[in-house]
């Protein structure tokens, strides 16, 4: 049989060659299955090899082309083909194209067919005019080989071959029909950013080539490989991690398993499985086979794809990611030199995202791909295609919620970044910051990238001089981001931006301002309380006013940390301020506020203040006079009427703006003591809003305390619970000894709302002995006493109340306006049968109440005195208490007065007179939402022989069957629409029931339902 064809691709004539005929062999497939070949999920490829091998052995060959991404097993298939071809008696000729191979024309084919040629000849490329003869000679060599025996030709990575060799192989494939030659070629088939050249077989007729694409391994196949390497007892966490890191790519998966076997040579824990934690950083995979495999994968993809992959990995490392359940995954944060808070930088990998609104996965994906393309200078369409291809291959996946691409496992991301110079990463972030700024993204989106860069002038820094990626100054961009984060309540993020801003070269005054702002953020979140920042800010101040304000900030932080002596030392170090009387008064007023943290200092400071007022009355400003009034009121030396009148005069007097906040805070406290809640709230609002006080200002906490005290006096327990929910946090590494006013109010509110068990858990680990002796400690002791009394422990409550009373005189506090410990202790003594002692305390309390003269303290004192006195006189006293309190909007005191008077009437044989009072008390208690007071009123009603005709109006027990059913579904996370569908109710009906439920339970938010419904509190019997 003659072969005389024209090579249209090369333009040469191939001579006539008649190969030797071979006996026909059986057409039964000769290539083994995937199991014996050591391959998984390659049945189709192996069956194709078997069929085409038999066809070639029968005298008619063909080209078989395997196309697959890098690392998918193309080489393994060629090994199988060569091994089986040799077993069947075929002559096997093999060649492997490489990007590093000589660039001579037809170099690959010459190496394949002309084994005796001198390798040095390959460097001498034939001239164009000699190409025809050179090609013909190689074709004759192929025919000679085929004439000698059936021939198997394998060419690996043909996409790397020189174009002349590719043309020769393509034309040769057209002539294999009728020849005992099988040509098996592998070609990389992966979507890259740089468009590839045409594939080898794109111009071949279908009957001359059989193409087969290799897919990534399925999850089950990958798990089989993992178990085979690490043991059959490999845990689910390891299986999932290995499968995700391997991405169904045999090369990556085998390399990872090789590393793991080296890192964990025994491969099993005590339970028979592998080690309990799969490494998440490439540095933990010491042999480095996995990193090398990923590096090869990147090299094969080309420079542009590598740049896009690394940019994607670096952006992903700049923000915390969420796993499929919405929780942050460990180890998936960036491994750069700085950590990132939620909401910072490239949060969710979305340009400009700051956590506002519901994400749109489709829009986020497109927006991010556009951003990535512009950042890397690549074609947006190619980047979008590359991302889609990598997701299909399993190397990337879409982040839940946003849909933006991310690497399938931290090991993959880390390996992609491995070896990428830090300077290149920083350059990327500078470009990203400038790009975000030009796109109009938020300040945090811009600053998030700047966090990943070195400051200007630092070694290795890549910032343009004084610019954020060529735009606004770096420090300004970071400060804008800090302000944005602070407004949104993300204090951790704001602090991070400020710390980075301090790395920049800043003018002295500006650095001091940044340090102060950062110290303010660290004031309540760090164990150090921001003190090092504030101390440095003070050191940088040069002007007297700036030094005084910085010293006051630092002193307040020290005082709140329980170091009032150090706070006063800071103020003393300012030296004399005789030339600045306003600043001197500011220092004196701040000293008085700091002294509240220590009884001895408080007494000394107020003593000096009184002496100064006597010597130089004109020097004492209204703010300082208000402090003296507050001190005398707490000591029981003033009536409420006198104190309020003097405070009003001071408020009308002129005062320097620096001292006005101190005056407002002091006036608010006195107004709250004097049963003027509206005035107190007005003064608090003025102090907090009109003067824009920061938490570092000494009166900021005082104003918040007055607002909470006013709410407690009005019985606004639910508001207190909401207000104090996020104000009890202490630094994670600080001892839990916080006994502030907010904690005291929360404990009492929980007890009143029937959530005593929650209150007990809240204070279980507080050690009073370790706490600093202060007014706030007294408030805590009183609150703990109220809690103990509410759970039936009068002895424990009595101990707390007495300790509170023992400590108060040391602070010159005798009045009952702050903590009415005497009345509370007297009630405990009555329960314990110690009536004489109870009577003595009640009489003492009554004298102080008469001196202060407000309805709240008088009504409370008379009620307890009447209960301790008993008999007709007791009835008169409790009746007087009810008369004083009724109509004052002081239901917190009126309800127990009504109950006490009603019980006395019942005991005196007058239950008919008692019942209306007790019903009034029960109704008022339900209106407040106080489970404790409601229970007291209900028990008193039953003692009077009455049963209420309606059920309880508050608490879980007050819910109807329908309300409870709907509330339970809502607590489980069901939406109103889902509840409506499940219960076959109108949506409006569901909403109405939930509104009623919230009112009865005293809550405002859906998230509070579960805690209240599962409360340990029982409905009063």
């Amino acid at each position: 049989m003659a072969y005389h064809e024209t090579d249209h691709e090369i333009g040469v004539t191939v001579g006539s060659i008649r190969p030797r005929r071979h006996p026909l062999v059986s057409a039964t497939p000769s290539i083994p299955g995937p199991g014996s070949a050591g391959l998984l999920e390659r049945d189709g490829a192996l069956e194709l090899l078997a069929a085409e091998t038999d066809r070639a052995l029968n005298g008619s060959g063909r080209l078989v082309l395997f196309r697959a991404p890098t690392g998918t097993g193309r080489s393994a298939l060629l090994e199988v083909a060569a091994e089986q071809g040799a077993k069947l008696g075929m002559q096997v000729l093999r060649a492997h194209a490489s990007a590093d191979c000589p660039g001579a024309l037809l170099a690959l084919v010459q190496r394949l067919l002309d084994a005796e040629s001198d390798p040095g000849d390959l460097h001498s490329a034939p001239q164009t005019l000699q190409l025809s003869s050179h090609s013909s000679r190689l074709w004759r060599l192929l025919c000679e080989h085929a004439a000698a025996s059936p021939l198997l030709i394998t060419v690996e990575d043909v996409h790397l071959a020189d174009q002349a060799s590719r043309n020769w192989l393509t034309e040769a494939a057209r002539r294999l029909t009728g020849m005992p030659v099988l040509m098996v070629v592998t070609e990389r088939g992966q979507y890259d950013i740089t468009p590839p050249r045409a594939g080898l077989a794109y111009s071949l007729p279908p009957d001359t080539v059989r193409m087969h694409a290799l897919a990534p391994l399925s999850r089950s196949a990958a798990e089989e490989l993992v178990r085979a390497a690490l043991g059959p007892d490999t845990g689910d966490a390891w299986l999932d991690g290995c499968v995700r890191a391997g991405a169904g790519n045999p090369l990556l998966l085998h390399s990872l398993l090789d590393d793991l076997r080296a890192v964990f040579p025994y491969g099993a824990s005590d339970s028979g499985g592998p080690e309990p934690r799969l490494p998440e950083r490439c540095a933990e995979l010491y042999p480095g086979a996995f990193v090398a495999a990923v590096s090869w994968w990147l090299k094969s993809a080309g420079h542009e794809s590598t740049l896009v992959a690394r940019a994607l990995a670096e952006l992903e490392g700049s923000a915390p990611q969420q796993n499929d359940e919405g929780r942050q995954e460990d180890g998936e944060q960036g491994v750069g030199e700085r950590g990132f808070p939620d909401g910072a930088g490239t949060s969710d990998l979305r340009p400009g995202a700051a956590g506002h609104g519901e994400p749109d996965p489709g829009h986020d994906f497109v927006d991010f791909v556009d951003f990535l393309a512009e950042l890397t200078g690549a074609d947006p369409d190619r980047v979008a295609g590359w991302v889609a291809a990598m997701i299909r291959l399993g190397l990337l996946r879409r982040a839940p919620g946003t849909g933006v691409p991310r690497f399938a496992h931290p090991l993959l991301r880390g390996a992609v970044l491995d070896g990428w110079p830090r300077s290149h990463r920083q350059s990327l972030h500078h470009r990203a910051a400038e790009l975000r700024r030009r796109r109009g993204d938020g300040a945090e989106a811009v600053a998030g990238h700047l966090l990943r860069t070195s400051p200007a002038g630092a070694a290795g820094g890549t910032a343009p001089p004084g610019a954020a990626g060529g735009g606004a100054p770096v420090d300004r961009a970071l400060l804008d981001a800090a302000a944005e984060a602070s407004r949104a309540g993300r204090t951790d993020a704001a602090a991070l931006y400020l710390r980075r801003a301090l790395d920049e070269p800043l003018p002295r005054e500006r650095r001091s301002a940044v340090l102060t702002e950062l110290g303010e953020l660290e004031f309540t979140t760090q164990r150090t309380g921001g003190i090092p920042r504030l101390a440095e800010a003070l050191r940088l101040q040069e002007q007297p006013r700036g030094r005084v304000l910085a010293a006051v900030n630092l002193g307040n932080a020290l005082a709140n940390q329980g170091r009032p002596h150090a706070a006063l030392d800071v103020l003393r170090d300012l030296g004399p301020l005789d030339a600045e009387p306003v600043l001197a008064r500011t220092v004196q007023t701040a000293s008085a506020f700091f002294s509240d943290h220590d009884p001895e200092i408080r007494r000394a400071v107020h003593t000096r203040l009184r002496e100064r007022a006597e010597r130089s009355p004109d020097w004492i400003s209204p703010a300082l006079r208000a402090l003296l009034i507050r001190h005398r009121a707490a000591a029981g030396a003033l009536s409420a009427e006198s104190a309020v009148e003097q405070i009003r005069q001071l408020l009308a007097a002129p005062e320097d703006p620096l001292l006005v906040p101190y005056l407002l805070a002091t006036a608010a406290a006195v107004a709250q003591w004097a049963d003027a809640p509206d005035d107190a709230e007005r003064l608090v609002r003025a102090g907090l809003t009109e003067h824009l006080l920061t938490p570092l200002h000494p009166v900021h906490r005082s104003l918040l305390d007055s607002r909470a005290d006013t709410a407690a006096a009005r019985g606004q327990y639910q508001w207190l619970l909401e207000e104090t929910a996020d104000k009890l946090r202490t630094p994670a590494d600080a001892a839990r000894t916080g006994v502030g006013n907010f904690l005291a109010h929360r404990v009492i509110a929980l007890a009143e709302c029937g959530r005593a068990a929650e209150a007990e858990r809240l204070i279980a680990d507080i050690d009073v002995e370790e706490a600093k002796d202060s007014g706030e400690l007294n408030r805590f002791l009183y609150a703990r006493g109220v809690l103990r009394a509410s759970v039936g422990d009068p002895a424990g409550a009595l101990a707390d109340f007495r300790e509170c009373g023992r400590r108060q005189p040391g602070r010159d506090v005798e009045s009952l306006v702050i903590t009415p410990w005497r009345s509370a202790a007297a009630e405990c003594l009555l329960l314990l049968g110690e009536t004489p002692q109870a009577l003595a305390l009640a009489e003492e309390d009554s004298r102080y109440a008469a001196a202060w003269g407000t309805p709240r303290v008088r009504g409370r004192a008379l009620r307890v005195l009447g209960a301790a006195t008993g008999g007709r006189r007791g009835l008169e006293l409790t009746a007087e208490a009810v008369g004083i309190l009724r109509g004052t909007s002081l239901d917190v005191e009126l309800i127990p007065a009504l109950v006490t008077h009603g019980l006395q009437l019942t005991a005196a044989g007058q239950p008919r007179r008692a019942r209306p009072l007790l019903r009034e008390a029960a109704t008022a208690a339900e209106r407040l939402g106080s489970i404790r007071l409601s229970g007291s009123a209900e028990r008193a009603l039953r003692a009077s022989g009455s049963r209420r005709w309606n059920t309880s109006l508050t608490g879980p027990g007050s819910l109807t069957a329908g309300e409870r059913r709907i509330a339970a579904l809502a607590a489980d996370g069901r939406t109103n629409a889902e509840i409506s569908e499940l219960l076959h109710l109108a949506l409006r009906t569901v909403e109405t029931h939930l509104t009623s439920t919230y009112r009865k339970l005293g809550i405002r938010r859906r998230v509070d339902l579960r805690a209240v419904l599962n409360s340990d509190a029982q409905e009063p019997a």
Side-chain angles (χ1 to χ4, degrees), residues 30 124 373 464 691 966:
S30 306
S124 303
H691 296 272
I966 291 173

Side-chain angles (χ1 to χ4, degrees), residues 16 22 49 69 72 84 93 103 182 223 247 443 511 515 649 686 695 714 725 751 766 859 871 903 989 998:
S16 297
H22 303 280
L49 275 176
T72 316
Q84 298 305 317
L93 301 180
L182 175 63
E223 289 180 351
R511 179 172 294 276
L515 285 165
Q649 293 176 8
R714 287 174 162 169
I766 291 180
L903 287 172
T989 302
Y998 292 169

Side-chain angles (χ1 to χ4, degrees), residues 26 50 89 139 168 206 286 365 368 393 491 547 549 598-599 660 769 844 846 851 861 893 926:
S26 171
W139 174 252
W168 191 95
Y286 169 70
F365 178 83
F368 176 75
L393 292 176
T491 56
R547 284 183 55 77
L549 295 180
D598 184 276
V660 169
E769 299 300 324
E844 184 180 3
S846 183
E893 298 297 342
E926 289 164 349

Side-chain angles (χ1 to χ4, degrees), residues 52-62 176-182:
E52 293 302 319
T53 299
D54 286 337
R55 188 173 186 273
L57 289 171
N58 280 292
S60 184
R62 192 147 47 191
L176 294 182
T177 302
M179 295 180 66
V181 179
L182 175 63

